[in-house]
Amino acid sequence: MDTNPNHLIQTVLINALPALLAITLHAAAHGYAARYFGDDSAALQQRISLNPFKHIDPVGTILMPLLLYFVTAGAFLLGYARPMPVDFSRLRNPKTQMIWVSLAGPAANLVQAVGWALLLIVLKGFGVDEFFFLSMAGAGVGINLALWAFNLFPLPPLPGGRILIGLLPVKQARMLARLEPWGLLIVMGLTLAGVVGPLWLRPLMVLSYAAVRLLLTPLEALAALAALAG
């Protein structure tokens, strides 16, 4: 792990904006989707906000990333936002619409990953070689794809777990829902034990990187041609 103060400060500055946007838009997307489908719990608590400080969770946003940073010597960093207050029973069609409300947050991260990848292509197309901006765009892709993949882990209260509850038959869904009070502890334990990373996070991120790259291949080719022409 690099303990050089200048390098640490640079790393924090490069990752700060992408991380704050990733967490904030993820949380807000859950709130907007819940309100759209009939639950205004988040709106009443003024949690549907682009203010990142309203979405900071002491464990998920601060403790877990720090713990992972030191345990993995800086090789693996991940966290989550303060849970959005959503009362699924207030949705017009709870079992089905729970899926869309839960998917909204990870989907926001996937869209941001595409946006940062697009920015990276544009910067390179215009001949920008500034390390800081290129690194920030690259970090935006990586952070958002990591959050997209991690949040799809099929255990509640993570969105992936709630999506699975919405898809399963009622009996199996209730059995899975009973794990929710201990879900985050189980996920953190599996993460620290090295299970989530290699068996879930990395494979899904590799597939996601490939999908984003494929989606933006035509634009990347145009940017390369523009760079050659320039």
Side-chain angles (χ1 to χ4, degrees):
M1 180 171 59
D2 191 345
T3 57
N4 183 295
N6 291 331
H7 184 265
L8 288 176
I9 291 171
Q10 185 182 57
T11 300
V12 169
L13 291 175
I14 286 170
N15 288 276
L17 180 61
L20 284 174
L21 285 174
I23 290 172
T24 300
L25 295 179
H26 173 107
H30 284 306
Y32 281 119
R35 185 170 65 179
Y36 178 81
F37 288 116
D39 174 36
D40 59 355
S41 301
L44 291 174
Q45 295 184 36
Q46 298 183 332
R47 285 290 314 282
I48 303 179
S49 171
L50 297 181
N51 178 359
F53 295 103
K54 289 195 174 186
H55 305 298
I56 291 176
D57 181 89
V59 175
T61 316
I62 299 172
L63 179 61
M64 184 175 179
L66 285 175
L67 189 60
L68 287 174
Y69 183 82
F70 286 107
V71 167
T72 65
F76 186 66
L77 188 64
L78 197 64
Y80 55 87
R82 179 182 166 198
M84 183 64 66
V86 177
D87 185 350
F88 292 109
S89 67
R90 298 181 65 183
L91 301 177
R92 289 186 291 274
N93 187 342
K95 187 160 173 56
T96 300
Q97 292 172 348
M98 173 195 299
I99 297 171
W100 296 110
V101 173
S102 300
L103 186 59
N109 291 124
L110 185 59
V111 170
Q112 287 180 82
V114 173
W116 283 109
L118 180 60
L119 176 61
L120 187 59
I121 290 171
V122 170
L123 289 174
K124 290 181 177 179
F126 279 98
V128 176
D129 59 359
E130 174 59 46
F131 172 80
F132 181 83
F133 295 114
L134 294 177
S135 297
M136 180 180 288
V141 177
I143 288 170
N144 278 286
L145 287 184
L147 284 174
W148 148 262
F150 179 73
N151 278 280
L152 288 180
F153 191 78
L155 191 67
L158 291 177
R162 286 176 172 159
I163 291 170
L164 186 56
I165 288 173
L167 293 172
L168 287 172
V170 173
K171 182 179 179 180
Q172 288 79 4
R174 285 176 178 168
M175 291 175 62
L176 181 60
R178 291 192 188 117
L179 293 176
E180 183 158 341
W182 304 279
L184 289 178
L185 291 175
I186 295 171
V187 172
M188 184 177 287
L190 291 174
T191 301
L192 293 175
V195 174
V196 174
L199 297 182
W200 177 267
L201 195 63
R202 287 174 196 155
L204 191 52
M205 284 185 69
V206 168
L207 290 174
S208 301
Y209 267 116
V212 171
R213 186 71 181 270
L214 182 63
L215 178 67
L216 297 178
T217 294
L219 184 60
E220 192 172 14
L222 287 174
L225 289 173
L228 289 173

